[in-house]
Amino acid sequence: TLAAANSISPKDQTQSISHQKPENTSIQNRKNPDSSVGNPKSDKAVDTEIKSAINNTRPKIQWAPTIGKIFWSGVIFTLAWLVLRFFSQLLNAIAERWSGQRLMIKGFVPILRISTWTFVIFIIISGVFQPPLNSLLAFTASAGLALGFASQDILKNIFGGIMILFDRPFQVGDKIEVGDHYGEVLQIGLRSVRMVTADDSIVTVPNGDIISRSVSNSNSGENNCQVVAECYLPVTIDIPHAKRIAYQAAVSSRYAYLSKPVAVIVKNEIHQGVSVLKFRIKAYVLDLRYEFAFMSEMTELFLTELKKEGLIKGTESLFASQSDSNTIQEQKD
């Protein structure tokens, strides 16, 4: 055995020792585990690494509005407003001169307004500011969410204005009745509808109220509309004779539109405790702006002819006779 041990060369002894070193090292590591991991990092170094990671992953702002972009946007907006105002006034002047085509020409005004402002907004966003698509989508989503909570009524009115333009229940120049208001439509906007009443008062009705209630349209885009004149007469009057006079009063008026029929309707009613006959003369006026003048003229002609024919007494009015009859009845009681 000693001879075999002595027969090993020094080189082989060196290799055997090198193979045994890892085992000794692993034993030392097990005894001192902190030696293989190294010194632990300080809290300050960890915070620095976290901050650098957050900064590296933070999205970079690649676009921001400048004073020049805001200036040119204001210039484009002002020019568009001036041009739109000029063409709107021009179309209204042409429509007033050509009464036969008035409603058709005025119908283009709200379409022109909506189309012009939509094009101007598109030009300002895409041509002047030129925001990146990601920024535009993020801004649109944020603005839409904020506006949705802050201005629900305004968005409701804007949506109502768009629905009016597409559904077209009426147009500029029509005579409509909304709630307690009746008049001619002057303007259809994104927020409201403006109309002028018979008393020459301008009424502004929000679009949200219009789409949520019933709307009565007198002419539906035509220049003529039906006019109704009402008169109360005693039950003792000659009804056929009075109806002929009422018909002649309607067709002989200078405002009458004779291409459509004229009707006279008689109805018995109890008015202030007295039985009376209600005459309703229904005829069409040639231009809806003469509606109340036509109504007045029909009433005047009808009552004047009734007096001439002796169907009613001179200047004696129905309500005076009613008051007298009520007084007599009270005296009898």
Side-chain angles (χ1 to χ4, degrees):
T1 303
L2 293 173
N6 293 328
S7 63
I8 298 174
S9 62
K11 183 178 181 180
D12 295 335
Q13 292 178 0
T14 302
Q15 293 178 354
S16 63
I17 292 173
S18 63
H19 286 298
Q20 293 175 0
K21 285 182 179 180
E23 296 178 358
N24 297 332
T25 303
S26 63
I27 294 172
Q28 292 177 0
N29 290 337
R30 285 195 295 269
K31 293 180 180 180
N32 189 11
D34 294 338
S35 61
S36 62
V37 178
N39 295 328
K41 296 181 180 179
S42 63
D43 295 338
K44 186 176 182 180
V46 173
D47 294 340
T48 303
E49 291 182 358
I50 293 174
K51 291 179 180 179
S52 62
I54 293 174
N55 293 329
N56 292 331
T57 57
R58 180 183 299 173
K60 297 181 180 180
I61 300 176
Q62 302 177 355
W63 171 83
T66 61
I67 297 178
K69 293 180 178 180
I70 296 175
F71 171 76
W72 286 111
S73 298
V75 171
I76 294 174
F77 186 88
T78 304
L79 290 176
W81 179 76
L82 292 175
V83 172
L84 183 60
R85 183 178 180 182
F86 170 76
F87 279 103
S88 297
Q89 293 180 352
L90 179 62
L91 289 175
N92 287 327
I94 295 174
E96 294 297 332
R97 185 176 296 271
W98 294 348
S99 59
Q101 306 295 329
R102 184 178 68 245
L103 298 181
M104 184 185 69
I105 296 174
K106 286 192 172 184
F108 289 107
V109 176
I111 299 176
L112 178 64
R113 290 178 179 273
I114 300 300
S115 302
T116 301
W117 287 124
T118 302
F119 179 72
V120 168
I121 293 173
F122 174 77
I123 291 297
I124 291 176
I125 293 176
S126 62
V128 179
F129 286 102
Q130 296 180 351
L133 182 60
N134 295 332
S135 301
L136 180 61
L137 294 177
F139 175 78
T140 304
S142 302
L145 184 63
L147 291 175
F149 286 103
S151 55
Q152 295 181 2
D153 293 337
I154 296 177
L155 293 178
K156 180 182 178 181
N157 293 329
I158 293 176
F159 177 75
I162 296 174
M163 292 301 297
I164 290 173
L165 290 178
F166 282 99
D167 192 27
R168 298 180 69 84
F170 54 85
Q171 61 184 6
V172 176
D174 285 356
K175 284 287 190 74
I176 64 172
E177 183 178 3
V178 182
D180 298 332
H181 305 291
Y182 174 76
E184 180 181 350
V185 178
L186 296 178
Q187 180 181 345
I188 301 175
L190 282 178
R191 192 190 67 84
S192 62
V193 172
R194 298 179 64 192
M195 51 191 295
V196 56
T197 63
D199 299 329
D200 202 22
S201 300
I202 304 297
V203 179
T204 301
V205 184
N207 293 330
D209 294 342
I210 293 178
I211 64 175
S212 62
R213 62 174 62 182
S214 59
V215 179
S216 175
N217 194 334
S218 299
N219 59 308
S220 299
E222 298 184 5
N223 288 328
N224 59 85
C225 68
Q226 189 181 83
V227 178
V228 179
E230 297 181 349
C231 294
Y232 291 92
L233 299 176
V235 293
T236 57
I237 198 171
D238 187 356
I239 296 177
H241 193 183
K243 289 182 67 176
R244 287 193 295 270
I245 294 176
Y247 181 85
Q248 291 298 326
V251 297
S252 60
S253 174
R254 53 182 173 173
Y255 303 113
Y257 182 67
L258 301 179
S259 298
K260 290 190 175 182
V262 177
V264 179
I265 300 174
V266 181
K267 183 180 179 182
N268 180 245
E269 291 185 358
I270 303 298
H271 188 76
Q272 296 183 359
V274 179
S275 178
V276 296
L277 295 178
K278 181 179 180 180
F279 279 71
R280 303 186 77 231
I281 310 172
K282 303 173 66 175
Y284 287 83
V285 62
L286 56 88
D287 193 321
L288 55 89
R289 289 189 173 177
Y290 301 133
E291 174 184 2
F292 296 101
F294 183 41
M295 182 189 303
S296 176
E297 189 171 49
M298 281 194 300
T299 305
E300 293 174 4
L301 292 175
F302 180 47
L303 294 178
T304 301
E305 291 298 322
L306 288 177
K307 292 176 182 179
K308 287 182 179 180
E309 296 293 331
L311 297 179
I312 58 176
K313 297 180 181 179
T315 59
E316 182 183 3
S317 64
L318 174 63
F319 294 103
S321 63
Q322 289 179 0
S323 301
D324 294 341
S325 62
N326 292 337
T327 304
I328 295 172
Q329 185 66 28
E330 290 177 358
Q331 292 176 355
K332 291 182 178 179
D333 294 341

